[in-house]
Amino acid sequence: MTEPDPQSTVSPGAASATARLDHVRRRIEISARRWQRDPATVRLVAVSKTHDAEAIRPVLEAGHRLFGENRVQEAQAKWPALKDAFPDARLHLIGPLQTNKARDAVRLFDAIETVDRPKLARVLRDEMDREGRELPCFVQVNTGEETQKAGVVPAEADAFIRQCRDEYRLPVQGLMCIPPAEEDPAPHFAFLKVIAERNGLAELSMGMSGDYEIAVQFGATYVRVGTAIFGARPV
Ligand SMILES: *Cc1c(COP(=O)(O)O)cnc(C)c1O
């Protein structure tokens, strides 16, 4: 049996974002049940990067509340107004964070998924203290050890997680990874789960449009899906 291709649902105008959101939700549920998981334990982060407020609003109006953005400045341009209109909307930062943007990030976002170096951990601690906000944090692990990719390398993950907790008192809830584009993601997802378990971390942010069902199989508690919901991003 061949798996349906998630890309097949994203041809322009073929379906609305809300219809595609329902479709993704249904597929998450099917995958969860297939692997004896409670579908409610898999949360869907709708990745709205590059899409404007007009594209995001219908998804909010349909009741979805959890979103991901990868750039602080772009999110600042779109989300304050959307959050005014939908105060219970929650926003995860899923892209690399520069320390000079940490204050803006702590003000706007509700979770940081990309903590990957001591300097950033320290600055996030300072800014959370200053703002009086405790944001759930994820440590990003570069499971493929790709030089161009953010994230702590696996060999340093345990020590860095410990440092984030003990030295910087960050509320680390889980791990996040982006497997190499050309590889089978399954071993990367399995590896991330092993690192999380040995560090007592419950949350796993893994899986994107092309592989979120596989991520559910391997224990994802957050999947980050953009294209399969909002359609192809403008290039
Ligand atoms: C863009 C992005 C996603 C979503 O990717 P799609 O393939 O469009 O679903 C997920 N995670 C991260 C970190 C991203 O930057």
Side-chain angles (χ1 to χ4, degrees):
M1 196 184 84
T2 54
E3 295 288 336
D5 175 9
Q7 306 301 328
S8 69
T9 63
V10 299
S11 58
S16 66
T18 53
R20 289 185 298 238
L21 176 78
D22 282 345
H23 179 76
V24 170
R25 276 219 195 93
R26 224 168 12 247
R27 289 175 57 145
I28 290 171
E29 195 174 319
I30 290 166
S31 184
R33 293 198 194 289
R34 181 171 171 188
W35 301 105
Q36 284 82 49
R37 297 192 54 202
D38 176 0
T41 63
V42 185
R43 276 135 311 163
L44 173 57
V45 179
V47 177
S48 50
K49 67 188 188 193
T50 76
H51 298 283
D52 59 20
E54 279 59 52
I56 300 168
R57 199 173 267 276
V59 176
L60 282 158
E61 281 164 356
H64 193 75
R65 288 295 178 268
L66 182 57
F67 293 82
E69 291 277 350
N70 69 332
R71 292 210 165 99
V72 176
Q73 261 173 316
E74 182 190 337
Q76 279 180 306
K78 297 189 291 194
W79 277 95
L82 290 170
K83 278 190 158 191
D84 280 348
F86 300 90
D88 55 345
R90 292 289 170 267
L91 199 54
H92 283 205
L93 179 66
I94 61 168
L97 178 57
Q98 292 168 354
T99 50
N100 63 3
K101 301 259 174 62
R103 182 169 307 173
D104 291 334
V106 166
R107 283 182 179 156
L108 179 63
F109 286 87
D110 302 289
I112 309 288
E113 295 205 13
T114 48
V115 182
D116 67 351
R117 56 199 193 279
K119 186 182 178 199
L120 176 60
R122 177 168 50 76
V123 172
L124 282 170
R125 175 72 273 150
D126 291 346
E127 297 301 343
M128 288 188 206
D129 286 344
R130 189 193 306 267
E131 296 297 319
R133 298 194 79 205
E134 285 293 303
L135 272 62
C137 291
F138 294 69
V139 168
Q140 182 176 356
V141 182
N142 185 358
T143 56
E145 307 199 34
E146 296 172 280
T147 49
Q148 79 282 10
K149 204 166 264 177
V152 63
V153 295
E156 290 164 14
D158 293 4
F160 181 62
I161 293 163
R162 206 174 313 119
Q163 187 180 27
C164 285
R165 286 168 156 167
D166 299 347
E167 191 174 340
Y168 301 115
R169 294 168 289 108
L170 291 181
V172 180
Q173 296 198 336
L175 303 180
M176 178 270 215
C177 78
I178 310 169
E182 304 307 324
E183 285 182 30
D184 177 3
H188 294 271
F189 296 155
F191 190 25
L192 195 72
K193 186 179 171 73
V194 167
I195 300 171
E197 281 181 343
R198 74 175 178 231
N199 285 280
L201 293 170
E203 308 293 346
L204 288 169
S205 174
M206 56 192 199
M208 318 201 318
S209 290
D211 55 19
Y212 64 89
E213 291 157 293
I214 301 167
V216 170
Q217 175 185 349
F218 285 90
T221 62
Y222 290 90
V223 292
R224 310 177 308 267
V225 179
T227 310
I229 296 170
F230 291 101
R233 285 181 287 275
V235 281

